Amino acid sequence: VQLVESGGGLVQPGKSLKLSCSASGFTFSSYGMHWIRQAPGKGLDWVAYISSSSGTVYADAVKGRFTISRDNAKNTLYLQLNSLKSEDTAIYYCARRASQDRGFDYWGQGVMVTVSS
Amino acid sequence: DVVMTQTPPSLSVAIGQSVSISCKSSQSLVYSDGKTYLHWLLQSSGRSPKRLIYQVSNLDSGVPDRFSGTGSQKDFTLKISRVEAKDLGVYYCAQTTHFPYTFGAGTKLELK
């Protein structure tokens, strides 16, 4: 199992960014997937979830601004980040939902998003 | 939201010593299916988190049996016996019973 995030960078407040998570080593379409973030020097913060059937759930802090999506043909998970705020500055990880136990069984290496003028 | 209170925030330990980390939730973590979705993860310095234990007490593949998890309802404990240098890092508990999923603030395990 391998998860590789990309698309991070420096962006101004109010602007947008789209993160990608390329998955390999498993049948991507069969698994739910998460985005989890970690602000510099802080703990883990769950952001969003998409089921294998593309149902979605969001944390209140990002609801209406972020959109999680997936392309099973490309084995890729996405996170569209709009109306970015300084408090969205973090490392963003994608993680796989374990099929039997609802946990986060595999994580990517993370991608840094910095929101600053 | 379910608040996960993890203590202590840090632990200073000698190699070979045993330690315990507590994680208490503001609500029962028993899901409607009767299972408890409380997990433990380790984040080593500069690395992404890695899951160690799922559903309170089940060790992930490759995790040594020096690690053990116990607890029920709202009160959980991670025990590490005979700490080794590779065990150092930040330990997090996480609940995936109730949306939004939440994590404890972490316990940093350091060498004494």
Side-chain angles (χ1 to χ4, degrees), chain A residues 15-79:
Chain A
K15 299 296 188 181
S16 299
L17 204 61
K18 189 170 187 176
L19 307 182
S20 299
C21 169
S22 178
S24 59
F26 64 103
T27 305
F28 178 71
S29 60
S30 297
Y31 286 82
M33 298 291 297
H34 298 274
W35 286 100
I36 295 153
R37 66 186 178 182
Q38 187 171 35
K42 301 296 184 183
L44 300 168
D45 183 29
W46 175 82
V47 173
Y49 168 72
I50 186 166
S51 69
S52 56
S53 55
S54 294
T56 58
V57 187
Y58 296 92
D60 285 347
V62 307
K63 202 175 295 182
R65 300 189 300 121
F66 291 7
T67 302
I68 188 172
S69 62
R70 64 191 301 157
D71 184 335
N72 290 336
K74 294 184 177 180
N75 289 336
T76 302
L77 174 73
Y78 301 101
L79 186 67

Side-chain angles (χ1 to χ4, degrees), chain A residues 104, chain B residues 39-43 49-54 57-64 67 78 80 87 90-92:
Chain A
F104 315 103
Chain B
H39 320 284
W40 291 95
L41 306 98
L42 167 61
Q43 186 173 33
K50 173 191 169 186
R51 196 176 68 172
L52 301 175
I53 289 175
Y54 61 95
S57 59
N58 298 283
L59 268 59
D60 271 285
S61 176
V63 175
F67 289 86
L78 171 70
I80 311 170
D87 300 336
V90 182
Y91 289 82
Y92 294 96

Side-chain angles (χ1 to χ4, degrees), chain A residues 34 38 93 101-102 107-108, chain B residues 37 43 48 51 55 96-97:
Chain A
H34 298 274
Q38 187 171 35
Y93 298 99
D101 61 67
R102 296 164 61 99
W107 295 63
Chain B
Y37 295 105
Q43 186 173 33
S48 54
R51 196 176 68 172
Q55 283 182 256
T96 58
T97 297

Side-chain angles (χ1 to χ4, degrees), chain B residues 4-99:
Chain B
M4 305 295 287
T5 302
Q6 199 176 327
T7 55
S10 65
L11 273 172
S12 188
V13 61
I15 298 299
Q17 190 179 343
S18 295
V19 296
S20 291
I21 299 169
S22 171
C23 178
K24 297 183 189 296
S25 60
S26 60
Q27 301 176 31
S28 171
L29 299 185
V30 180
Y31 190 56
S32 54
D33 62 5
K35 298 178 181 179
T36 302
Y37 295 105
L38 182 283
H39 320 284
W40 291 95
L41 306 98
L42 167 61
Q43 186 173 33
S44 302
S45 181
R47 307 287 298 272
S48 54
K50 173 191 169 186
R51 196 176 68 172
L52 301 175
I53 289 175
Y54 61 95
Q55 283 182 256
V56 181
S57 59
N58 298 283
L59 268 59
D60 271 285
S61 176
V63 175
D65 61 6
R66 298 183 294 100
F67 289 86
S68 62
T70 59
S72 63
Q73 300 286 334
K74 298 167 57 176
D75 195 350
F76 306 92
T77 301
L78 171 70
K79 182 177 180 180
I80 311 170
S81 302
R82 306 180 306 280
V83 168
E84 299 182 6
K86 60 185 176 182
D87 300 336
L88 304 181
V90 182
Y91 289 82
Y92 294 96
C93 58
Q95 67 83 19
T96 58
T97 297
H98 307 285
F99 277 116

